[in-house]
Amino acid sequence: MEFSITRGTLANVLTKVGKVLNAKSSIPILSGLFIEVKEDEINFIASDSETTVALRLLSSDPSVSIIHAGTTVIPKEAFNTILKLQGVIDFKFNASKNTISIVQKDDNFKLDFQTFVAEEYPPVTEIPQGSIPVKMKANRFKHLIDETIHCVSTSDSRPILQSINFVVSENMIHAEATDGHRLAKVIDTDFSCKLPEGKTIKLPVPAEVLKNISKALNLDEDIILLFSDNCFAAMNNNIIFTSSIFNGVYPDITRLIPNDFIANVTLNRNELLNTLNILSEVKEQGIVKMQFDDMFTTLIAEGSISKGKKEIAHKEIECETDLNIAFSADFLKQALLVLENTDVTINFKGAEAPFVLKENHNLFESVHLILPVRQY
């Protein structure tokens, strides 16, 4: 096996597969990057046994040159040294000694590394067969992830909540996530999928997998999603992610979102966000109280050694009853950060009921729900 590649292209490959490559695994060979050289392409594969990412470079790419076909698995630690080289880097694999020679032509620099036996690399997660493809713009898919991932649970007590649940029907795709204290749901209609009438796809995809995909996406290209009962795949340009998924059924969170409210207030999003950034530092647990009058929304935080208060003028308000609500400032901040409108409307059902933020655009809409904190 022999090929050459520019340092910049190699660095880009490692950036896209690095998260999976650097994941901890009990199988030593999975700490290496599997490289398969064919006559017309080079495939780079990283896997942690649950998730696999494969990146393909065609022989027509001017940054690579294929000399001889073959396979090898290079330990990830070797790339820390390899990337210190500049310009064009030659890889030459010696099958008899099971070593790879790295040569930098310009400086006549040569490095030799021991490699794993390629034939011992375990089978990787395969692309779901027979599933119906879902096609959408990569930036729209990234938007689904960005708007919901902050609500994913970090607790191991319910693994299913460590995922973002995707639901695909004939005319919409929506992503939803909850950690039991808040939830986010985003609906998008700008996609294509030829589902049989009445059929719906539901699949919870691990959030860590989606983080990796989001970082590796070429946002100028479309993404194709494939779902099966136990596997998920995403194909974007020259990269493919495949992953197993959590067992179990994602809870129906739609029923938790109220439809009728006793009050709503519209505020400038940046002013509210800046206020929460300051007040969240006052109270040890980051709890902030919100009160209303005819002209202002008042936010209050009281800590053991400090106290803060800020009045924000309403843009609009509808409130026929006294309302005093306490909540996590961090939860509301994270929701505000992913919203796009200049102003935000918060809908209230009561002092101890969840409050809701909604945003509607031409091709998508989002809902963010936050449970209040009980006051004593």
Side-chain angles (χ1 to χ4, degrees), residues 147-167:
E147 284 244 359
T148 53
I149 202 163
H150 63 279
C151 288
V152 169
S153 176
T154 57
S155 171
D156 293 331
S157 60
R158 295 186 68 187
I160 194 74
L161 297 185
Q162 295 177 338
S163 59
I164 294 177
N165 191 44
F166 289 90
V167 181

Side-chain angles (χ1 to χ4, degrees), residues 42 77 85 130 145 165:
I42 305 173
E77 294 81 7
L85 303 176
I145 299 171
N165 191 44

Side-chain angles (χ1 to χ4, degrees), residues 6-17:
T6 63
R7 181 195 177 280
T9 298
L10 178 61
N12 184 55
V13 168
L14 294 172
T15 297
K16 292 182 181 295
V17 306

Side-chain angles (χ1 to χ4, degrees), residues 36-54:
E36 179 186 35
V37 180
K38 298 181 178 180
E39 291 183 0
D40 57 352
E41 66 184 34
I42 305 173
N43 294 303
F44 300 87
I45 299 174
S47 177
D48 62 5
S49 75
E50 295 292 331
T51 302
T52 300
V53 54

Side-chain angles (χ1 to χ4, degrees), residues 309-324:
K309 178 179 178 180
K310 167 73 173 179
E311 292 180 335
I312 302 176
H314 311 308
K315 294 296 183 73
E316 295 180 18
I317 186 170
E318 293 181 13
C319 185
E320 298 179 357
T321 182
D322 291 336
L323 193 62
N324 185 333

Side-chain angles (χ1 to χ4, degrees), residues 10 12 18 21 50 52-53 56 76 79 90 97 162 164 179 193 217 228 230 238 269 280 287 291 300 303 332:
L10 178 61
N12 184 55
L21 181 62
E50 295 292 331
T52 300
V53 54
R56 180 181 63 181
K76 62 184 178 184
F79 292 102
D90 282 346
K97 296 182 179 180
Q162 295 177 338
I164 294 177
D179 60 5
C193 180
L217 284 176
S228 71
N230 58 3
N238 65 338
R269 184 173 66 91
S280 62
I287 304 302
Q291 302 171 348
I300 302 168
L332 182 53

